[in-house]
Structures are given as structure tokens and as C-alpha cells.
Amino acid sequence: MCTIHMMCIMHKEGDASDLAGKGDRAVSDRSPVTSEIEYELALLSRYYAVANQRRGRLLDRSAYIILGRLEVESPASLRMLAEAFRLDISTVNRQVSSLLKKGLVEQVADLDGGAARRFRPTALGLECLEADRALNEEGIELVLGAWGEADIRELRDCLVRFNRSVEQCEGAPWPRRDAGDDQSMSPVGGST
């Protein structure tokens, strides 16, 4: 997941072969800490992919992400989703059509009177999303079981700050669910 964010930044600036040819900084000039972060993000991405292959999941990864976006920002048109995910509209159309056939999203009229099809999650879609989210949260709680509350909050704050920094680099903020607790996240660049 974080590795995907990093790839989005690279995509925005040019593909990996373009970046490799620029030679802005030699590999030896890069911070060892940055190299360690990159390695840990790669491992995190691997662990996330493995966890999503476990039994009990109701949604595939694209369905989970689309429903998660529609949960906090709907109804949305195919174009809005394609722009949010930085995907071709035909790809998003296939994914949303699959969700529509499964009864996980429904088409609604555009309140602004436009002709674009707009979609929102159905009760079943939100139920499946919540079930998969509960599995994710159980796994996270298992991993963090021996951590203290302060360390858990620090991890959360660092992840939010990192993701917001990525969003700032991409110029595309991602909507968030209201956490309903004392999350006092500072804007990008601020201290937590």
C-alpha cells in the first residue's frame, strides 16, 4: 500500500526508467535511513498482499478500495473514481460494473442534473467492507498486541502524516472517515 504511493509519485514525475537516467543523486549519496524506509515499505507491501490472500475475505483488493472511497465520498461518477485512483476510466468501469452485478454498489441519479452515471455503496457493499475491515483490524491488533498505547498512536500519527505528504506530492488529498477519537493530526509538515 505505501509502496503503491511511492510508485504514484514516481509515475507523476516520469516512469522508473526516466528517473534512473536522470542521475540526480548517486545511489551512494542517498540516506541510509531512506534506504531502510524503502525496504520496510516493501516488506509492508508484501505483508499486506499476503494478508489479503487469506480466507474469509469477501472483497478483492479493488472492490475494497473502491467501496472505501465511496463510503466517505459518494455518489461518485466513473470519471471521479478514475481521477482519484489515477486509472484509466475503462479499468474503473470494469471494476464498478463487477461491483454493480454483485449488488455492492448502486447507480443513482446525478443531483446536479448531469448525464454522468454516479455510484454509491449499497447496504450489502458497506456490510462486506466492514467485515473485511474488521479482519484487517484484528490482524493489526494481533501484530500490535505487545505495543503500548503511546507507540500505537505514534505509529498511527506517522502513517497519517506520511500518507498526507504523499497526497500533497500528488496534489490529490484522500478523504478520510471521521475517526471519532482524539486524533489531532497536524497538516503536512507540522509536528504531531
Side-chain angles (χ1 to χ4, degrees), residues 19-107:
L19 291 176
K22 289 184 180 175
D24 293 326
R25 288 183 5 178
V27 173
S28 61
D29 292 341
R30 293 195 184 111
S31 163
V33 174
T34 302
S35 294
E36 292 169 12
I37 291 170
E38 186 282 330
Y39 184 79
E40 295 301 328
L41 288 173
L43 288 178
L44 182 62
S45 177
R46 177 190 169 276
Y47 298 146
Y48 185 78
V50 169
N52 279 333
Q53 295 172 2
R54 294 199 174 114
R55 289 186 183 192
R57 301 267 175 213
L58 301 175
L59 304 169
D60 63 33
R61 188 175 189 289
S62 66
Y64 184 86
I65 293 172
I66 290 170
L67 285 168
R69 177 70 181 221
L70 290 174
E71 177 188 34
V72 295
E73 193 173 65
S74 75
S77 68
L78 293 174
R79 180 170 310 285
M80 292 166 66
L81 291 170
E83 288 173 2
F85 294 116
R86 298 181 185 250
L87 294 172
D88 186 76
I89 198 164
S90 64
T91 301
V92 173
N93 185 36
R94 281 191 305 276
Q95 293 170 338
V96 170
S97 293
S98 174
L99 296 176
L100 196 58
K101 288 177 188 171
K102 295 174 183 175
L104 301 175
V105 298
E106 62 187 355
Q107 189 172 333

Side-chain angles (χ1 to χ4, degrees), residues 91-152:
T91 301
V92 173
N93 185 36
R94 281 191 305 276
Q95 293 170 338
V96 170
S97 293
S98 174
L99 296 176
L100 196 58
K101 288 177 188 171
K102 295 174 183 175
L104 301 175
V105 298
E106 62 187 355
Q107 189 172 333
V108 296
D110 185 346
L111 298 176
D112 298 327
R117 298 184 304 161
R118 292 188 180 253
F119 300 90
R120 69 177 176 208
T122 62
L124 175 62
L126 292 175
E127 187 178 308
C128 291
L129 178 64
E130 188 52 42
D132 279 10
R133 184 176 288 138
L135 285 174
N136 290 341
E137 290 171 0
E138 286 173 18
I140 292 167
E141 287 173 353
L142 178 67
V143 170
L144 300 179
W147 289 38
E149 186 67 25
D151 289 336
I152 293 171

